[in-house]
Amino acid sequence: MTAVVKPAQIVAVKGFRDVLPDESARWRLIEAEAFEIFSRYSFEEIRLPMAEKTELFARSIGTETDIVEKEMYTFTDRGGTSITLRPEATASVVRAAIEHGLITADRERRLFYCGPMFRRERPQKGRFRQFYQIGAEVLGRDDPVVDAEIIILLRDLLDRVAARGVRLELNSLGDGRCRPTYREHLRSFAAARRERLCANCQRRLERNTLRILDCKEPQCREEMAGAPVVVDHLCVPCADHLASVRRLLDGAGVSVDLNPRIVRGLDYYCRTAFEITAEGLGSQNAIGGGGRYDELVAALGGPPVAGIGFAIGLERLAMVTEAPTAELPRTAVFIAPLGDEAWATGLAVATELRAAGRRVELAAGRRSLRALMRQADRTGARHVLIIGVDELTSGRGTVRDMERKADHPLSVDLGATGGELAAQITRLGGTAT
Ligand code: HAM
């Protein structure tokens, strides 16, 4: 006798999770609110590929960043091209906008997106290797009004989904004019502590000094705690830009705190940078972030136009929203065919009712009426339509009203169209199904 070997179970890849119906219903609500807000601010949706040429991310996010250095899912495809699963979507939006000629010097473009991103970080609460972002980008505007508008949009969105304990923090990262001077100040500060910094930071000291501020090593954080901050070294145009953004937000009644420690983990930023943090999420408390990237479009081969945008982590936002867990819609009619010969009629009636817009569950299997009624109860169905031998002969299905526990079953014409059937059932039940 051969032993039966149970095949080994296959589970999801570490850091890649399933979003089960309860949670996905909640996500849908958040997405619907976000799409509504985006539309009010004149954004259009863009759907982007999940993979890009690796060079796109290396050139935009920066080769010295944690993301490009150690977190990307990169592989060579069968044609020998180096491909990367997108760790973020700003670079893709810019790539697509250039490729399809969406940006012209005299026209701004407002694009939003929603979808999964991939970063091979150490999984922990609120941190995954595949996670979802909702994001938006404005290409072709360099004035502070659009910075304020983006932050007000974010505030609107957070209010709409009733996000708990969230803070908006703002900073300026300067630009090509003032950052080199600041970098020198930072370099001297870090160089004096070189021996106590991690190997990565020692390397970054010469190649990309600013990234030291983004290092997650506790030792480096401690050493760099008193480091000079870029807001103290802004050139006049950058300082004016920041002051205007703050004034505009103030005027709009949106409160944003200045946090000179915000550096962001991607190299493309300049001037305005912001983050949204939430209480109660532990160390992964950033639910969103964004900022200006006025050099990126040109750096990727496009026209010299400015850009600004943000992205919110959907998992983290869902963790702090008070949006009620969406109730799954109730089954309106549960069809219980008794015996194989009732299946065809059951299926035909289910199809008719569904065409008429009703949520229908069709039981199958050879089960007793009692078992079927228990099953119907679990679905929360308002009405059960029983189709047995008698019903098939008479052409009239028996309807039980589960809410009223009607003792005297009522019947409907099984040959009626979906609309008529639905109307008959509704009339019997006395309420709309
Ligand atoms: P980011 O700050 O790298 O920015 O990511 C934005 C948000 O994505 C984070 O605040 C966080 O909520 C979520 N997130 C990031 N990594 C993970 C992870 N491993 N697990 C779960 N959630 C995560 C960007 O990606 C920029 N593209 C934003 C932007 C748009 N800047 C300008 N335009």
Side-chain angles (χ1 to χ4, degrees):
M1 209 172 89
T2 45
V4 180
V5 181
K6 194 174 167 219
Q9 189 192 346
I10 299 169
V11 297
V13 177
K14 186 175 174 188
F16 288 65
R17 55 194 286 278
D18 304 300
V19 182
L20 302 180
D22 269 356
E23 195 180 358
S24 69
R26 197 182 170 90
W27 281 26
R28 208 175 250 263
L29 287 180
I30 295 176
E31 284 163 4
E33 297 291 359
F35 296 173
E36 166 69 25
I37 298 271
F38 286 145
S39 146
R40 291 186 191 179
Y41 285 77
S42 304
F43 282 82
E44 298 168 295
E45 185 179 14
I46 184 163
R47 297 200 185 206
L48 301 155
M50 230 116 29
E52 298 273 3
K53 289 185 182 149
T54 303
E55 191 196 349
L56 175 69
F57 301 116
R59 253 163 72 188
S60 54
I61 299 172
T63 47
E64 300 289 321
T65 56
D66 275 358
I67 296 180
V68 173
E69 256 176 4
K70 34 185 193 192
E71 295 169 2
M72 296 204 306
Y73 282 93
T74 298
F75 59 96
T76 307
D77 79 353
R78 287 167 196 271
T81 311
S82 178
I83 288 184
T84 293
L85 296 184
R86 62 179 185 194
E88 62 110 46
T90 308
S92 301
V93 170
V94 172
R95 195 261 317 133
I98 297 170
E99 191 170 331
H100 303 289
L102 302 185
I103 3 178
T104 51
D106 57 351
R107 191 180 167 199
E108 69 177 82
R109 270 328 267 242
R110 297 179 166 227
L111 300 164
F112 77 88
Y113 51 86
C114 175
M117 310 292 155
F118 306 85
R119 296 184 194 175
R120 200 176 187 286
E121 297 186 81
R122 196 168 51 75
Q124 61 181 78
K125 183 183 171 196
R127 191 160 76 191
F128 312 99
R129 290 178 170 177
Q130 175 180 315
F131 59 96
Y132 284 72
Q133 283 187 349
I134 298 179
E137 316 289 343
V138 180
L139 303 174
R141 286 275 300 270
D142 61 4
D143 54 281
V145 179
V146 76
D147 303 37
E149 216 186 343
I150 284 279
I151 293 170
I152 295 168
L153 181 162
L154 265 171
R155 184 74 264 170
D156 264 2
L157 178 54
L158 296 169
D159 286 348
R160 266 298 268 254
V161 299
R164 264 173 282 122
V166 289
R167 272 165 69 95
L168 268 164
E169 295 181 327
L170 178 70
N171 194 18
S172 174
L173 300 178
D175 65 6
R177 246 173 311 188
C178 50
R179 218 183 300 167
T181 324
Y182 166 67
R183 194 180 296 123
E184 260 325 294
H185 287 287
L186 185 66
R187 213 191 58 78
S188 335
F189 182 92
R193 293 158 180 78
R194 178 192 292 270
E195 301 313 317
R196 294 189 293 283
L197 298 176
C198 73
N200 259 347
C201 284
Q202 293 190 12
R203 198 168 36 79
R204 286 168 175 166
L205 193 54
E206 303 306 334
R207 302 203 353 213
N208 192 345
T209 322
L210 254 67
R211 289 271 71 87
I212 299 179
L213 294 173
D214 191 39
C215 181
K216 283 155 197 126
E217 292 294 325
Q219 170 89 1
C220 297
R221 284 183 170 251
E222 208 173 291
E223 286 299 329
M224 297 302 288
V229 291
V230 67
V231 270
D232 292 338
H233 300 272
L234 295 179
C235 58
V236 174
C238 283
D240 282 352
H241 189 94
L242 177 61
S244 298
V245 175
R246 296 184 76 188
R247 209 171 33 246
L248 287 163
L249 288 172
D250 233 27
V254 172
S255 93
V256 182
D257 302 312
L258 189 72
N259 177 356
R261 301 259 151 226
I262 291 178
V263 287
R264 309 285 299 132
L266 308 97
D267 275 357
Y268 52 61
Y269 291 112
C270 66
R271 294 197 168 170
T272 308
F274 48 86
E275 275 180 0
I276 310 149
T277 54
E279 290 161 13
L281 287 187
S283 61
Q284 302 308 313
N285 66 349
I287 61 171
R292 265 202 173 279
Y293 44 86
D294 294 348
E295 311 290 326
L296 183 62
V297 182
L300 291 177
V305 301
I308 180 167
F310 71 86
I312 287 185
L314 196 42
E315 289 84 357
R316 294 187 194 172
L317 180 59
M319 283 160 89
V320 297
T321 55
E322 274 158 17
T325 311
E327 262 186 41
L328 289 177
R330 257 176 77 174
T331 297
V333 184
F334 183 93
I335 301 181
L338 299 173
D340 300 5
E341 55 291 354
W343 284 5
T345 308
L347 186 59
V349 171
T351 307
E352 281 287 336
L353 283 171
R354 285 171 180 151
R358 296 298 191 274
R359 185 180 168 101
V360 177
E361 201 161 315
L362 173 62
R366 302 173 175 92
R367 312 186 69 188
S368 69
L369 181 59
R370 256 173 82 115
L372 285 170
M373 293 310 279
R374 269 203 306 274
Q375 189 185 340
D377 220 25
R378 278 197 300 273
T379 67
R382 173 71 205 267
H383 295 108
V384 179
L385 174 60
I386 301 162
I387 309 173
V389 178
D390 291 350
E391 284 81 4
L392 285 177
T393 316
S394 67
R396 298 196 65 81
T398 303
V399 177
R400 286 231 178 130
D401 183 333
M402 299 296 274
E403 221 155 77
R404 297 182 179 178
K405 297 278 177 233
D407 289 340
H408 304 294
L410 301 152
S411 70
V412 289
D413 180 4
L414 289 175
T417 64
E420 288 165 24
L421 253 174
Q424 284 182 31
I425 293 173
T426 304
R427 272 200 301 279
L428 294 178
T431 56
T433 49

